[in-house]
Amino acid sequence: MTGTRDEAAERPGTGGSWFKRMRPNERRTFWACFAGWATDATDVQIFSLLIPVLVSTGFLTGTGQSGLIATITLLSSSVGGWIAGILADRIGRVRTLQLTIAWYSFFTLLCAVAWDPVSLGVFRALMGLGFGGEWAVGAVLMAETVRADVRGRAVGTVQSGWAIGWAVAVGLFVLTSTLLPPEYAWRALFALGFLPAVLVIFIRRGVQEPQVRRAAPTTSASGGVLKIFSPPYLGRTLACSLLAVGAQGGYYALTTFLPKFLADTRGLKVLALGSTLFLVISGAFVGYLIGAQLTDRLGRRRTLMVTAAGAFVVVLPFLLLDLGPALFTVLCFPLGLFSSAYFSAIGPLFSEQYPTELRASGQGFCYNFGRGIGALFPFAVGVLATPLGIATAIAIFAGVAYALLGIMAALVRERTDVDLDAIDEPTGGVRPASGT
């Protein structure tokens, strides 16, 4: 591999030395998962950005209906994530990843031709099935492909693709809103959500099924679903699921209505709104990268506790205090940083809880159980926004979620630097990671 390609490969991540040491297949898998997570974010964040437009044009009636559609999407994504995890243990990680990306791209395109709130809700729900599956499969694929000594940084850095996809969504939102009337702009933005389907071609050509997966026994769908609820996995499943509730609930309570908060409470118009969101997204991108570094240096649990505490301390004043323009702008960056950084530790932590034949099923269930319960937060925020104000409603649910995340991070079991094919069976032991 040439020096130029090595230098280019270092740009999206931190710690160039670990990235340069990755093998060609590890890098191809990294880029595929990074791009998958980015396009996932683009399709998801489109709706949040369009809430003010859909309400102002009369297509949606208000925050309650907007929150309901957001919640339905997240609920379906929790089901989709679990189904995708089961499929990944049955038919393979790569094939399932291709399917999820093609699925959510197609149904995002259909949102462009929605004729009423019900049809939009149905298309968003169907889109959610694929959206939920992409993370569950991509995180497992990445964790199983890279070596144990860089697993935290590699899987965590892949999470930064979400910030890139969010930025792309904001850019496309500003572009379409500037060039087209509102009644056509939102349809054009949904139509652009089909572009991620092109990624399937790259994945088909360049990404291999992990060796640890090829060597593992294939579990039946029912066996994978039931075994994660039996000893010795039940405690892990419960702890990780509650941790995911805190992580997902806090994130979606904040980000679903952040554009609405900025437009209504702070009075920002399209360009100012886009600029502010880009600042938040820049913080999120840095947060993912810092979280990835901390995941290997401090460990998964400490990283989660530190970043959850940081999110609590930054997000609540940002929402509840009448901050001047300068201080409000300054807080946008750490807002994005702390509300995103903890996700970098979740993928590595969850991937180390289950043996290979149960990994995607277990990780898919835990993460998406959290997403399913967290999906109720946007709906609750939307309902309470009218009597309490949108800032107070967001702060209540985000604060509770961050507290839950920190508590469960202190309780969950950590299992760093182990070969994933050596994760324990009922005996409870693990084999130390092999050298690299």
Side-chain angles (χ1 to χ4, degrees):
M1 186 170 291
T2 65
T4 301
R5 290 182 65 185
D6 283 343
E7 292 171 2
E10 291 177 22
R11 291 173 190 158
T14 58
S17 60
W18 70 263
F19 199 88
K20 288 181 68 173
R21 288 190 290 111
M22 292 177 71
R23 304 181 185 97
N25 183 57
E26 292 176 329
R27 292 193 185 191
R28 286 193 298 270
T29 303
F30 176 93
W31 285 118
C33 295
F34 181 93
W37 198 223
T39 55
D40 205 358
T42 299
D43 280 9
V44 171
Q45 295 292 353
I46 282 174
F47 179 72
S48 296
L49 291 164
L50 288 176
I51 287 176
V53 178
L54 293 169
V55 172
S56 66
T57 58
F59 192 87
L60 297 179
T61 58
T63 55
Q65 195 172 63
S66 304
L68 178 60
I69 292 177
T71 289
I72 290 172
T73 303
L74 293 174
L75 284 173
S76 70
S77 73
S78 67
V79 175
W82 194 14
I83 293 173
I86 295 170
L87 278 177
D89 282 337
R90 293 284 294 158
I91 67 173
R93 289 34 168 154
V94 176
R95 290 173 62 187
T96 307
L97 184 63
Q98 295 168 359
L99 176 62
T100 59
I101 293 173
W103 184 280
Y104 69 67
S105 300
F106 175 71
F107 284 105
T108 299
L109 174 64
L110 287 188
C111 290
V113 298
W115 54 90
D116 60 17
V118 174
S119 61
L120 179 60
V122 170
F123 291 146
R124 291 296 291 176
L126 290 170
M127 171 267 181
L129 292 174
F131 151 61
E134 194 280 334
W135 184 92
V137 180
V140 172
L141 174 62
M142 192 69 219
E144 291 181 341
T145 300
V146 299
R147 289 156 290 176
D149 64 317
V150 297
R151 187 185 304 134
R153 281 165 287 179
V155 179
T157 302
V158 163
Q159 303 288 325
S160 67
W162 182 273
I164 299 299
W166 191 4
V168 170
V170 172
L172 293 175
F173 166 73
V174 172
L175 180 65
T176 53
S177 298
T178 302
L179 297 178
L180 298 171
E183 59 270 21
Y184 296 111
W186 69 266
R187 295 185 184 275
L189 187 55
F190 274 129
L192 291 171
F194 183 70
L195 294 178
V198 178
L199 181 61
V200 174
I201 301 174
F202 169 76
I203 294 174
R204 182 180 296 273
R205 292 183 176 182
V207 181
Q208 302 173 6
E209 194 71 10
Q211 183 177 356
V212 64
R213 162 63 192 162
R214 295 196 300 266
T218 299
T219 185
S220 67
S222 60
V225 170
L226 296 177
K227 197 170 183 180
I228 64 173
F229 301 113
S230 62
Y233 308 115
L234 178 60
R236 306 176 198 178
T237 300
L238 178 61
C240 291
S241 296
L242 290 176
L243 187 151
V245 170
Q248 303 274 20
Y251 185 82
Y252 288 117
L254 174 66
T255 60
T256 299
F257 285 107
L258 183 59
K260 183 71 172 170
F261 165 77
L262 294 174
D264 291 358
T265 305
R266 305 297 301 192
L268 303 185
K269 304 303 179 184
V270 171
L271 292 179
L273 176 63
S275 299
T276 302
L277 286 175
F278 271 124
L279 188 56
V280 175
I281 293 166
S282 298
F285 181 74
V286 173
Y288 286 123
L289 300 182
I290 291 176
Q293 290 292 316
L294 293 178
T295 295
D296 276 338
R297 295 177 185 234
L298 293 182
R300 286 57 159 147
R301 295 169 63 248
R302 289 183 180 178
T303 299
L304 287 167
M305 288 187 284
V306 168
T307 52
F312 191 94
V313 169
V314 172
V315 171
L316 269 62
F318 180 87
L319 294 167
L320 298 176
L321 300 183
D322 186 16
L323 303 174
L327 183 55
F328 182 83
T329 302
V330 168
L331 278 182
C332 287
F333 189 87
L335 175 85
L337 190 154
F338 284 109
S339 63
S340 301
Y342 54 76
F343 281 104
S344 295
I346 292 177
L349 178 70
F350 285 10
S351 70
E352 294 158 354
Q353 302 299 313
Y354 300 96
T356 301
E357 64 270 22
L358 300 177
R359 183 166 299 119
S361 299
Q363 185 165 335
F365 173 82
C366 294
Y367 192 82
N368 288 285
F369 177 86
R371 180 177 279 155
I373 302 301
L376 302 175
F377 286 38
F379 176 64
V381 169
V383 171
L384 291 181
T386 300
L388 299 180
I390 194 165
T392 301
I394 295 173
I396 289 173
F397 288 98
V400 170
Y402 296 141
L404 176 62
L405 171 60
I407 292 170
M408 295 314 303
L411 299 177
V412 74
R413 184 182 183 187
E414 184 165 351
R415 308 150 61 77
T416 57
D417 296 328
V418 296
D419 284 331
L420 292 187
D421 60 352
I423 294 294
D424 60 300
E425 282 295 332
T427 56
V430 295
R431 186 173 69 245
S434 58
T436 57

